[in-house]
């Protein structure tokens, strides 16, 4: 039995290593928002297309009179302001306690730029914007009526993302869309029983790496299922790519992609990075809306910094290619490599984007 388990582990590791060389499909969490562009807004859809994302994740809520709108929180206070004078909301305002008319009349999305202080969008409005930009909407919703509307507007080109089993089963009755089952460590293996019952295009998503272990990812993928790492913190998204996830849902992450028309590409030849040595590559100029990314194969232990907050301490035996990237606004991007121990850079490319 021990030999069989060891063999299964080796097979899963081998499969995961093969998959880790593929680029995962990228989805922007709550749309491609920024300090200026509000989350879950109409402009966040077009910006996602501009940045090369395949799709966006959307949160559906109901107003008091049953209108489906796009809003992550139960309350308006974090993301909205009073429409009359742009003042902050002093009392808690819950979406389900206001009518749609009140919502559109009294509140706007918060932004330092008055141009983006717009009304909270309906599900229908944002779905039509997705279709316009060929962006795949991922509906994080428990409402079957939202699935029906997505099917009406998008055909099968949308994603049902939920942990509501009955909702997923109902969705499959009228749609061939991809269905992602939200899992946690305690119910991850239940997906192997549930997904075959749903049939068609299916997969799993989790915010917890403990649910998406390397072995479990390999098993899901061997069965033809999609596997999404959802809102992983740095540097866990790097390990998720190493482990072979097929999709990444992120607030900031970019994949190095020549098809995104990079403004600058720097290729690093094979070289040794001594312990304590730092190598920095800078963009040519500050940009209002940009991004940077690196794809690198190395042996040893190095630290990769994309800014003061996105710092990755990684060890590699050189058997895989790591891909790290982020979007940013109003700054000059850089990528910095620092040798934690003497390491060998086998190959690397650094990309800078201007969107």
């Amino acid at each position: 039995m021990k030999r069989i388990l060891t063999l299964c582990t080796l097979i899963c590791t081998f499969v995961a290593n093969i998959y880790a060389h593929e680029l995962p499909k990228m989805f922007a969490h709550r749309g491609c928002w920024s300090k200026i562009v509000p989350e879950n807004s109409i402009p966040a859809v077009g910006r996602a297309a501009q940045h090369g994302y395949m799709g966006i994740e959307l949160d559906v809520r109901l107003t008091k009179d049953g209108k489906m709108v796009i809003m992550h929180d139960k309350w308006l206070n974090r993301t909205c302001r009073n429409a009359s004078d742009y003042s902050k909301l002093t009392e808690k305002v819950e979406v389900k306690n206001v009518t749609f008319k009140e919502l559109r009349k009294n509140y706007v999305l918060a932004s330092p730029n008055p141009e983006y202080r717009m009304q909270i969008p309906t599900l229908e409005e944002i779905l039509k914007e997705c279709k316009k930009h060929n962006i795949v909407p991922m509906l994080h919703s428990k409402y079957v009526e939202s699935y029906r509307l997505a099917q009406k507007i998008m055909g099968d080109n949308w994603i049902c993302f939920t942990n509501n089993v009955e909702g997923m089963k109902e969705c499959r009755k009228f749609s061939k869309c991809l269905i992602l089952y939200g899992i946690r460590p305690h119910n991850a293996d239940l997906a192997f029983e549930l997904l075959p019952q749903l049939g068609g295009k299916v997969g799993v998503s989790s915010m917890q790496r403990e649910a998406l272990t390397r072995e479990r990812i390999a098993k899901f993928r061997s069965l033809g299922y999609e596997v999404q790492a959802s809102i992983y913190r740095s540097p866990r998204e790097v390990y998720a790519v190493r482990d072979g996830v097929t999709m990444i849902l992120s607030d900031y992450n970019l994949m190095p992609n020549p098809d995104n028309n990079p403004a600058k590409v720097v290729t690093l030849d094979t070289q040794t990075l001594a312990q304590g040595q730092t190598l920095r590559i800078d963009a040519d100029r500050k940009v209002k809306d940009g991004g940077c990314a690196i794809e690198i194969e190395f042996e040893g232990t190095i630290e990769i910094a994309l800014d003061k907050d996105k710092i990755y301490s990684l060890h590699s035996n050189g058997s895989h290619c790591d891909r790290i990237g982020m979007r940013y606004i109003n700054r000059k991007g850089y990528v910095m490599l620092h040798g934690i121990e003497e390491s060998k850079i086998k190959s690397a490319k650094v990309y800078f984007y201007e969107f």
Side-chain angles (χ1 to χ4, degrees):
M1 177 63 70
K2 186 175 181 181
R3 286 185 177 180
I4 293 174
L5 291 174
T6 301
L7 179 60
C8 289
T9 301
L10 289 173
I11 292 172
C12 287
T13 301
F14 174 73
V15 173
N17 282 335
I18 294 174
Y19 290 145
H21 287 276
E22 301 175 4
L23 280 172
K25 296 178 278 289
M26 300 300 297
F27 286 76
H29 184 227
R30 307 178 198 171
C32 192
W33 53 269
S34 70
K35 293 179 180 178
I36 307 298
V37 178
E39 65 183 53
N40 279 324
S41 67
I42 295 293
V45 178
R47 192 166 180 259
Q50 188 181 36
H51 283 61
Y53 289 96
M54 180 178 182
I56 62 172
E57 181 260 1
L58 303 166
D59 304 281
V60 182
R61 295 202 176 275
L62 295 182
T63 61
K64 187 176 182 178
D65 50 347
K67 189 74 171 180
M68 292 182 288
V69 296
I70 302 301
M71 175 66 58
H72 177 268
D73 301 354
K74 292 181 180 180
W75 296 274
L76 302 180
N77 299 65
R78 181 180 65 86
T79 57
C80 296
R81 298 290 185 268
N82 288 305
S84 58
D85 58 2
Y86 195 67
S87 60
K88 289 187 177 181
L89 281 61
T90 55
E91 297 181 357
K92 285 280 188 179
V93 180
E94 196 165 356
V95 177
K96 69 177 183 180
N97 291 333
V98 295
T99 66
F100 178 65
K101 185 177 180 180
E102 292 169 337
L103 192 74
R104 298 294 282 254
K105 178 182 177 182
N106 298 333
Y107 308 101
V108 293
L109 294 171
S111 172
N113 186 338
E115 179 183 347
Y116 292 98
R117 297 173 188 173
M118 53 191 62
Q119 294 175 319
I120 298 161
T122 65
L123 173 60
E124 182 175 3
E125 289 169 341
I126 213 158
L127 286 174
K128 288 180 177 178
E129 192 73 7
C130 286
K131 188 166 186 179
K132 173 183 172 183
H133 292 282
N134 197 28
I135 283 288
V136 179
M138 180 187 298
L139 266 61
H140 195 190
S141 171
K142 61 183 179 181
Y143 306 112
V144 174
E145 56 264 42
S146 69
Y147 308 158
R148 293 188 185 280
L149 182 59
Q151 185 68 22
K152 178 181 178 181
I153 294 174
M154 305 297 301
D156 295 319
N157 192 33
W158 65 284
I159 298 171
C160 174
F161 175 29
T162 182
N163 58 4
N164 184 328
V165 175
E166 293 307 312
M168 290 187 289
K169 290 180 178 179
E170 189 65 28
C171 175
R172 183 54 86 221
K173 291 179 181 179
F174 57 82
S175 178
K176 296 179 181 178
C177 73
L178 169 63
I179 298 178
L180 291 180
Y181 177 39
I183 62 172
R184 296 187 178 186
H186 73 275
N187 70 344
D189 289 331
L190 293 177
F192 293 111
E193 300 176 18
L194 173 63
L195 297 183
Q197 297 175 27
L198 293 173
K201 295 186 294 184
V202 291
V204 294
S205 175
S206 184
M207 297 177 65
Q208 297 169 285
R209 193 171 180 231
E210 295 78 10
L212 295 181
T213 62
R214 190 176 181 86
E215 292 74 25
R216 203 173 270 136
I217 290 172
K219 185 175 178 180
F220 280 130
R221 294 206 57 182
S222 70
L223 295 170
Y225 301 154
E226 297 282 0
V227 184
Q228 176 174 268
S230 182
I231 324 300
Y232 274 24
R233 294 183 178 181
S234 307
R236 286 190 169 192
E237 75 273 16
V238 178
Y239 296 118
V241 177
R242 284 187 183 185
D243 291 344
V245 298
T246 65
M247 303 169 65
I248 288 183
L249 175 62
S250 176
D251 285 316
Y252 61 88
N253 200 280
L254 287 175
M255 284 289 107
N257 186 352
D259 294 338
N260 274 359
N261 298 316
K264 179 180 180 179
V265 180
V266 178
T267 301
L268 303 180
D269 297 325
T270 301
Q271 58 182 286
T272 298
L273 191 65
Q275 182 178 6
Q277 180 184 356
T278 296
L279 178 62
R280 176 169 171 144
I281 304 98
D282 286 275
D284 290 335
R285 55 187 170 272
K286 179 179 178 180
V287 295
K288 289 184 178 181
D289 195 356
C292 61
I294 181 173
E295 52 185 6
I296 182 171
E297 294 184 44
F298 70 95
E299 296 177 11
T301 305
I302 65 175
E303 185 178 83
I304 303 176
L306 305 184
D307 72 0
K308 62 181 181 179
D309 297 320
K310 297 295 180 289
I311 300 174
Y312 304 81
S313 294
L314 302 173
H315 177 79
S316 176
N317 61 7
S319 64
H320 51 261
C321 178
D322 283 321
R323 302 173 177 93
I324 307 169
M326 64 171 291
R327 63 180 194 258
Y328 49 75
I329 61 171
N330 296 323
R331 57 164 281 198
K332 181 180 178 181
Y334 68 86
V335 174
M336 188 160 58
L337 310 178
H338 179 74
I340 303 299
E341 64 180 22
E342 183 174 298
S343 303
K344 181 181 179 181
I345 299 175
K346 300 172 67 176
S347 66
K349 275 190 177 182
V350 177
Y351 301 83
F352 294 102
Y353 302 99
E354 296 179 17
F355 300 113

Short mmCIF file of all heavy atoms in Angstrom, two decimals, residues 104-147:
data_model
loop_
_atom_site.label_atom_id
_atom_site.label_comp_id
_atom_site.label_asym_id
_atom_site.label_seq_id
_atom_site.Cartn_x
_atom_site.Cartn_y
_atom_site.Cartn_z
N ARG A 104 -30.08 54.28 -7.11
CA ARG A 104 -29.56 55.04 -8.25
C ARG A 104 -29.63 56.55 -8.00
O ARG A 104 -28.82 57.31 -8.54
CB ARG A 104 -30.33 54.68 -9.52
CG ARG A 104 -30.19 53.22 -9.94
CD ARG A 104 -28.79 52.82 -10.36
NE ARG A 104 -28.45 53.24 -11.67
CZ ARG A 104 -28.36 52.44 -12.74
NH1 ARG A 104 -28.62 51.15 -12.62
NH2 ARG A 104 -28.02 52.92 -13.90
N LYS A 105 -30.58 56.98 -7.21
CA LYS A 105 -30.76 58.40 -6.97
C LYS A 105 -29.83 58.94 -5.88
O LYS A 105 -29.28 60.04 -6.01
CB LYS A 105 -32.21 58.69 -6.56
CG LYS A 105 -32.49 60.16 -6.25
CD LYS A 105 -33.93 60.36 -5.80
CE LYS A 105 -34.17 61.82 -5.43
NZ LYS A 105 -35.58 62.03 -4.94
N ASN A 106 -29.62 58.15 -4.83
CA ASN A 106 -28.97 58.67 -3.63
C ASN A 106 -27.49 58.34 -3.48
O ASN A 106 -26.81 58.94 -2.64
CB ASN A 106 -29.71 58.16 -2.38
CG ASN A 106 -31.14 58.62 -2.33
OD1 ASN A 106 -31.49 59.67 -2.87
ND2 ASN A 106 -31.99 57.84 -1.68
N TYR A 107 -26.97 57.38 -4.30
CA TYR A 107 -25.60 56.93 -4.06
C TYR A 107 -24.81 56.82 -5.37
O TYR A 107 -25.38 56.53 -6.43
CB TYR A 107 -25.61 55.56 -3.36
CG TYR A 107 -26.46 55.54 -2.12
CD1 TYR A 107 -27.75 54.99 -2.16
CD2 TYR A 107 -26.01 56.10 -0.93
CE1 TYR A 107 -28.55 54.98 -1.03
CE2 TYR A 107 -26.81 56.10 0.21
CZ TYR A 107 -28.08 55.54 0.15
OH TYR A 107 -28.87 55.55 1.27
N VAL A 108 -23.50 57.06 -5.27
CA VAL A 108 -22.59 56.89 -6.40
C VAL A 108 -21.38 56.10 -5.93
O VAL A 108 -21.05 56.07 -4.73
CB VAL A 108 -22.13 58.24 -7.00
CG1 VAL A 108 -23.29 58.97 -7.64
CG2 VAL A 108 -21.45 59.10 -5.93
N LEU A 109 -20.69 55.47 -6.88
CA LEU A 109 -19.46 54.77 -6.57
C LEU A 109 -18.37 55.79 -6.23
O LEU A 109 -18.28 56.85 -6.85
CB LEU A 109 -19.03 53.91 -7.75
CG LEU A 109 -19.97 52.73 -8.07
CD1 LEU A 109 -19.57 52.07 -9.38
CD2 LEU A 109 -19.98 51.72 -6.94
N ALA A 110 -17.53 55.46 -5.28
CA ALA A 110 -16.50 56.39 -4.81
C ALA A 110 -15.29 56.39 -5.74
O ALA A 110 -14.84 55.34 -6.20
CB ALA A 110 -16.05 56.01 -3.40
N SER A 111 -14.78 57.58 -6.04
CA SER A 111 -13.56 57.75 -6.83
C SER A 111 -13.03 59.17 -6.61
O SER A 111 -13.82 60.11 -6.53
CB SER A 111 -13.83 57.53 -8.32
OG SER A 111 -12.69 57.87 -9.09
N PRO A 112 -11.71 59.35 -6.54
CA PRO A 112 -11.16 60.71 -6.44
C PRO A 112 -11.38 61.53 -7.70
O PRO A 112 -11.29 62.75 -7.68
CB PRO A 112 -9.67 60.47 -6.18
CG PRO A 112 -9.41 59.09 -6.70
CD PRO A 112 -10.67 58.33 -6.47
N ASN A 113 -11.69 60.84 -8.81
CA ASN A 113 -11.97 61.50 -10.08
C ASN A 113 -13.49 61.58 -10.29
O ASN A 113 -14.15 60.55 -10.42
CB ASN A 113 -11.32 60.74 -11.23
CG ASN A 113 -11.45 61.45 -12.56
OD1 ASN A 113 -12.33 62.29 -12.75
ND2 ASN A 113 -10.58 61.11 -13.50
N PRO A 114 -14.06 62.79 -10.33
CA PRO A 114 -15.52 62.92 -10.48
C PRO A 114 -16.08 62.19 -11.69
O PRO A 114 -17.26 61.79 -11.70
CB PRO A 114 -15.71 64.44 -10.61
CG PRO A 114 -14.54 65.04 -9.91
CD PRO A 114 -13.40 64.10 -10.19
N GLU A 115 -15.25 61.98 -12.70
CA GLU A 115 -15.70 61.28 -13.92
C GLU A 115 -16.16 59.86 -13.62
O GLU A 115 -17.02 59.32 -14.32
CB GLU A 115 -14.55 61.25 -14.94
CG GLU A 115 -14.88 60.56 -16.24
CD GLU A 115 -13.69 60.50 -17.19
OE1 GLU A 115 -12.69 61.22 -16.93
OE2 GLU A 115 -13.76 59.73 -18.16
N TYR A 116 -15.61 59.25 -12.58
CA TYR A 116 -15.92 57.86 -12.26
C TYR A 116 -16.90 57.72 -11.09
O TYR A 116 -17.16 56.61 -10.63
CB TYR A 116 -14.64 57.09 -11.95
CG TYR A 116 -13.74 56.92 -13.16
CD1 TYR A 116 -12.67 57.78 -13.38
CD2 TYR A 116 -14.01 55.93 -14.10
CE1 TYR A 116 -11.86 57.64 -14.50
CE2 TYR A 116 -13.20 55.78 -15.22
CZ TYR A 116 -12.13 56.64 -15.41
OH TYR A 116 -11.35 56.50 -16.52
N ARG A 117 -17.45 58.82 -10.63
CA ARG A 117 -18.45 58.76 -9.56
C ARG A 117 -19.82 58.48 -10.19
O ARG A 117 -20.67 59.34 -10.32
CB ARG A 117 -18.45 60.07 -8.78
CG ARG A 117 -17.15 60.33 -8.07
CD ARG A 117 -17.12 61.72 -7.44
NE ARG A 117 -15.79 62.04 -6.93
CZ ARG A 117 -15.43 63.22 -6.45
NH1 ARG A 117 -16.33 64.23 -6.42
NH2 ARG A 117 -14.20 63.42 -6.02
N MET A 118 -19.98 57.24 -10.59
CA MET A 118 -21.16 56.86 -11.36
C MET A 118 -22.10 55.99 -10.55
O MET A 118 -21.78 55.57 -9.43
CB MET A 118 -20.73 56.16 -12.64
CG MET A 118 -19.79 55.00 -12.41
SD MET A 118 -19.08 54.39 -13.97
CE MET A 118 -18.19 55.84 -14.52
N GLN A 119 -23.25 55.71 -11.14
CA GLN A 119 -24.25 54.89 -10.47
C GLN A 119 -23.80 53.43 -10.39
O GLN A 119 -23.04 52.94 -11.21
CB GLN A 119 -25.58 54.99 -11.21
CG GLN A 119 -26.21 56.37 -11.18
CD GLN A 119 -27.46 56.45 -12.03
OE1 GLN A 119 -27.50 55.90 -13.14
NE2 GLN A 119 -28.49 57.12 -11.53
N ILE A 120 -24.31 52.75 -9.37
CA ILE A 120 -24.05 51.32 -9.22
C ILE A 120 -24.69 50.58 -10.38
O ILE A 120 -25.89 50.77 -10.65
CB ILE A 120 -24.62 50.83 -7.87
CG1 ILE A 120 -23.93 51.55 -6.72
CG2 ILE A 120 -24.47 49.31 -7.73
CD1 ILE A 120 -24.68 51.49 -5.42
N PRO A 121 -23.94 49.76 -11.11
CA PRO A 121 -24.51 49.12 -12.30
C PRO A 121 -25.44 47.96 -11.98
O PRO A 121 -25.30 47.28 -10.96
CB PRO A 121 -23.27 48.62 -13.04
CG PRO A 121 -22.27 48.37 -11.96
CD PRO A 121 -22.52 49.43 -10.93
N THR A 122 -26.38 47.74 -12.86
CA THR A 122 -27.21 46.54 -12.78
C THR A 122 -26.44 45.38 -13.38
O THR A 122 -25.47 45.56 -14.13
CB THR A 122 -28.52 46.72 -13.55
OG1 THR A 122 -28.23 46.86 -14.94
CG2 THR A 122 -29.30 47.92 -13.04
N LEU A 123 -26.87 44.17 -13.08
CA LEU A 123 -26.27 42.99 -13.68
C LEU A 123 -26.42 43.04 -15.19
O LEU A 123 -25.48 42.74 -15.94
CB LEU A 123 -26.92 41.73 -13.12
CG LEU A 123 -26.51 40.41 -13.78
CD1 LEU A 123 -25.02 40.16 -13.66
CD2 LEU A 123 -27.31 39.25 -13.20
N GLU A 124 -27.58 43.44 -15.67
CA GLU A 124 -27.81 43.50 -17.11
C GLU A 124 -26.86 44.48 -17.78
O GLU A 124 -26.29 44.18 -18.84
CB GLU A 124 -29.26 43.92 -17.39
CG GLU A 124 -29.61 43.95 -18.87
CD GLU A 124 -31.07 44.25 -19.12
OE1 GLU A 124 -31.80 44.50 -18.15
OE2 GLU A 124 -31.48 44.24 -20.30
N GLU A 125 -26.66 45.64 -17.19
CA GLU A 125 -25.76 46.65 -17.78
C GLU A 125 -24.34 46.13 -17.89
O GLU A 125 -23.67 46.31 -18.91
CB GLU A 125 -25.79 47.92 -16.93
CG GLU A 125 -27.08 48.71 -17.03
CD GLU A 125 -27.18 49.81 -16.00
OE1 GLU A 125 -26.45 49.77 -14.98
OE2 GLU A 125 -28.00 50.73 -16.20
N ILE A 126 -23.86 45.48 -16.84
CA ILE A 126 -22.46 45.05 -16.85
C ILE A 126 -22.27 43.82 -17.74
O ILE A 126 -21.21 43.64 -18.35
CB ILE A 126 -21.96 44.81 -15.41
CG1 ILE A 126 -20.47 45.17 -15.32
CG2 ILE A 126 -22.22 43.42 -14.91
CD1 ILE A 126 -19.98 45.48 -13.94
N LEU A 127 -23.29 42.97 -17.85
CA LEU A 127 -23.20 41.83 -18.77
C LEU A 127 -23.12 42.31 -20.22
O LEU A 127 -22.35 41.76 -21.03
CB LEU A 127 -24.39 40.90 -18.58
CG LEU A 127 -24.41 40.03 -17.32
CD1 LEU A 127 -25.73 39.29 -17.21
CD2 LEU A 127 -23.24 39.07 -17.30
N LYS A 128 -23.90 43.31 -20.56
CA LYS A 128 -23.85 43.85 -21.92
C LYS A 128 -22.49 44.48 -22.20
O LYS A 128 -21.99 44.41 -23.33
CB LYS A 128 -24.98 44.86 -22.11
CG LYS A 128 -26.36 44.23 -22.20
CD LYS A 128 -27.46 45.26 -22.41
CE LYS A 128 -28.82 44.59 -22.56
NZ LYS A 128 -29.92 45.57 -22.72
N GLU A 129 -21.89 45.09 -21.18
CA GLU A 129 -20.55 45.66 -21.35
C GLU A 129 -19.52 44.55 -21.55
O GLU A 129 -18.58 44.68 -22.34
CB GLU A 129 -20.19 46.52 -20.14
CG GLU A 129 -18.95 47.38 -20.30
CD GLU A 129 -19.16 48.57 -21.23
OE1 GLU A 129 -20.33 48.81 -21.65
OE2 GLU A 129 -18.17 49.25 -21.54
N CYS A 130 -19.69 43.44 -20.84
CA CYS A 130 -18.80 42.29 -21.02
C CYS A 130 -18.89 41.76 -22.45
O CYS A 130 -17.87 41.45 -23.08
CB CYS A 130 -19.16 41.17 -20.03
SG CYS A 130 -18.67 41.47 -18.33
N LYS A 131 -20.09 41.65 -22.96
CA LYS A 131 -20.27 41.15 -24.33
C LYS A 131 -19.64 42.11 -25.34
O LYS A 131 -19.02 41.68 -26.31
CB LYS A 131 -21.75 40.98 -24.63
CG LYS A 131 -22.02 40.28 -25.95
CD LYS A 131 -23.46 39.82 -26.07
CE LYS A 131 -23.65 38.99 -27.34
NZ LYS A 131 -25.04 38.51 -27.46
N LYS A 132 -19.76 43.40 -25.09
CA LYS A 132 -19.18 44.41 -25.96
C LYS A 132 -17.67 44.27 -26.05
O LYS A 132 -17.07 44.43 -27.13
CB LYS A 132 -19.55 45.80 -25.43
CG LYS A 132 -18.88 46.96 -26.12
CD LYS A 132 -19.27 48.27 -25.44
CE LYS A 132 -18.47 49.45 -25.98
NZ LYS A 132 -18.82 50.71 -25.26
N HIS A 133 -17.01 43.94 -24.95
CA HIS A 133 -15.55 43.85 -24.90
C HIS A 133 -15.03 42.42 -24.99
O HIS A 133 -13.83 42.20 -24.83
CB HIS A 133 -15.03 44.50 -23.62
CG HIS A 133 -15.22 45.98 -23.55
ND1 HIS A 133 -14.41 46.87 -24.23
CD2 HIS A 133 -16.15 46.73 -22.90
CE1 HIS A 133 -14.81 48.10 -23.99
NE2 HIS A 133 -15.85 48.05 -23.20
N ASN A 134 -15.93 41.47 -25.23
CA ASN A 134 -15.54 40.05 -25.32
C ASN A 134 -14.86 39.59 -24.03
O ASN A 134 -13.84 38.89 -24.06
CB ASN A 134 -14.63 39.80 -26.52
CG ASN A 134 -14.55 38.32 -26.87
OD1 ASN A 134 -15.47 37.55 -26.62
ND2 ASN A 134 -13.42 37.90 -27.42
N ILE A 135 -15.40 40.01 -22.91
CA ILE A 135 -14.92 39.63 -21.60
C ILE A 135 -15.87 38.59 -21.00
O ILE A 135 -17.09 38.75 -21.06
CB ILE A 135 -14.83 40.87 -20.67
CG1 ILE A 135 -13.59 41.70 -21.02
CG2 ILE A 135 -14.82 40.49 -19.21
CD1 ILE A 135 -12.27 41.07 -20.60
N VAL A 136 -15.31 37.54 -20.40
CA VAL A 136 -16.12 36.48 -19.81
C VAL A 136 -16.51 36.87 -18.38
O VAL A 136 -15.65 37.04 -17.53
CB VAL A 136 -15.36 35.15 -19.78
CG1 VAL A 136 -16.22 34.06 -19.13
CG2 VAL A 136 -14.95 34.73 -21.19
N PRO A 137 -17.81 37.03 -18.10
CA PRO A 137 -18.23 37.35 -16.73
C PRO A 137 -18.30 36.09 -15.87
O PRO A 137 -18.86 35.07 -16.27
CB PRO A 137 -19.63 37.96 -16.92
CG PRO A 137 -20.14 37.33 -18.17
CD PRO A 137 -18.95 37.03 -19.04
N MET A 138 -17.71 36.18 -14.69
CA MET A 138 -17.77 35.10 -13.71
C MET A 138 -18.71 35.55 -12.59
O MET A 138 -18.36 36.43 -11.80
CB MET A 138 -16.37 34.81 -13.15
CG MET A 138 -16.31 33.70 -12.12
SD MET A 138 -14.65 33.58 -11.36
CE MET A 138 -13.65 33.16 -12.78
N LEU A 139 -19.90 35.00 -12.55
CA LEU A 139 -20.91 35.45 -11.60
C LEU A 139 -20.75 34.73 -10.26
O LEU A 139 -20.97 33.52 -10.16
CB LEU A 139 -22.32 35.19 -12.15
CG LEU A 139 -22.98 36.35 -12.89
CD1 LEU A 139 -22.15 36.74 -14.11
CD2 LEU A 139 -24.39 35.98 -13.29
N HIS A 140 -20.34 35.50 -9.25
CA HIS A 140 -20.32 34.99 -7.88
C HIS A 140 -21.68 35.31 -7.30
O HIS A 140 -21.92 36.39 -6.78
CB HIS A 140 -19.19 35.66 -7.09
CG HIS A 140 -18.88 34.95 -5.82
ND1 HIS A 140 -18.05 35.46 -4.87
CD2 HIS A 140 -19.28 33.74 -5.34
CE1 HIS A 140 -17.95 34.63 -3.85
NE2 HIS A 140 -18.69 33.58 -4.12
N SER A 141 -22.58 34.36 -7.42
CA SER A 141 -23.98 34.64 -7.12
C SER A 141 -24.70 33.38 -6.68
O SER A 141 -24.36 32.27 -7.11
CB SER A 141 -24.67 35.20 -8.37
OG SER A 141 -26.06 35.28 -8.20
N LYS A 142 -25.70 33.55 -5.82
CA LYS A 142 -26.53 32.44 -5.39
C LYS A 142 -27.91 32.49 -6.02
O LYS A 142 -28.77 31.65 -5.72
CB LYS A 142 -26.66 32.44 -3.87
CG LYS A 142 -27.31 33.69 -3.30
CD LYS A 142 -27.34 33.64 -1.78
CE LYS A 142 -27.96 34.91 -1.19
NZ LYS A 142 -27.98 34.89 0.28
N TYR A 143 -28.12 33.47 -6.91
CA TYR A 143 -29.45 33.68 -7.47
C TYR A 143 -29.57 33.04 -8.85
O TYR A 143 -28.87 33.44 -9.80
CB TYR A 143 -29.75 35.17 -7.56
CG TYR A 143 -29.57 35.90 -6.25
CD1 TYR A 143 -28.55 36.83 -6.10
CD2 TYR A 143 -30.40 35.64 -5.17
CE1 TYR A 143 -28.37 37.49 -4.89
CE2 TYR A 143 -30.23 36.30 -3.96
CZ TYR A 143 -29.20 37.21 -3.83
OH TYR A 143 -29.03 37.87 -2.63
N VAL A 144 -30.45 32.08 -8.99
CA VAL A 144 -30.63 31.40 -10.27
C VAL A 144 -31.10 32.38 -11.34
O VAL A 144 -30.75 32.23 -12.52
CB VAL A 144 -31.63 30.23 -10.12
CG1 VAL A 144 -31.95 29.60 -11.47
CG2 VAL A 144 -31.07 29.18 -9.17
N GLU A 145 -31.88 33.40 -10.94
CA GLU A 145 -32.33 34.38 -11.94
C GLU A 145 -31.16 35.13 -12.57
O GLU A 145 -31.23 35.57 -13.72
CB GLU A 145 -33.34 35.36 -11.33
CG GLU A 145 -32.85 36.10 -10.10
CD GLU A 145 -33.27 35.47 -8.79
OE1 GLU A 145 -33.20 34.23 -8.69
OE2 GLU A 145 -33.66 36.22 -7.87
N SER A 146 -30.05 35.28 -11.82
CA SER A 146 -28.86 35.93 -12.39
C SER A 146 -28.22 35.02 -13.44
O SER A 146 -27.70 35.49 -14.45
CB SER A 146 -27.86 36.28 -11.30
OG SER A 146 -27.26 35.12 -10.72
N TYR A 147 -28.27 33.70 -13.21
CA TYR A 147 -27.74 32.75 -14.19
C TYR A 147 -28.56 32.81 -15.49
O TYR A 147 -27.99 32.76 -16.59
CB TYR A 147 -27.79 31.32 -13.66
CG TYR A 147 -27.16 31.09 -12.30
CD1 TYR A 147 -27.53 30.00 -11.53
CD2 TYR A 147 -26.20 31.95 -11.78
CE1 TYR A 147 -26.96 29.76 -10.29
CE2 TYR A 147 -25.63 31.73 -10.54
CZ TYR A 147 -26.02 30.63 -9.79
OH TYR A 147 -25.47 30.40 -8.57
#
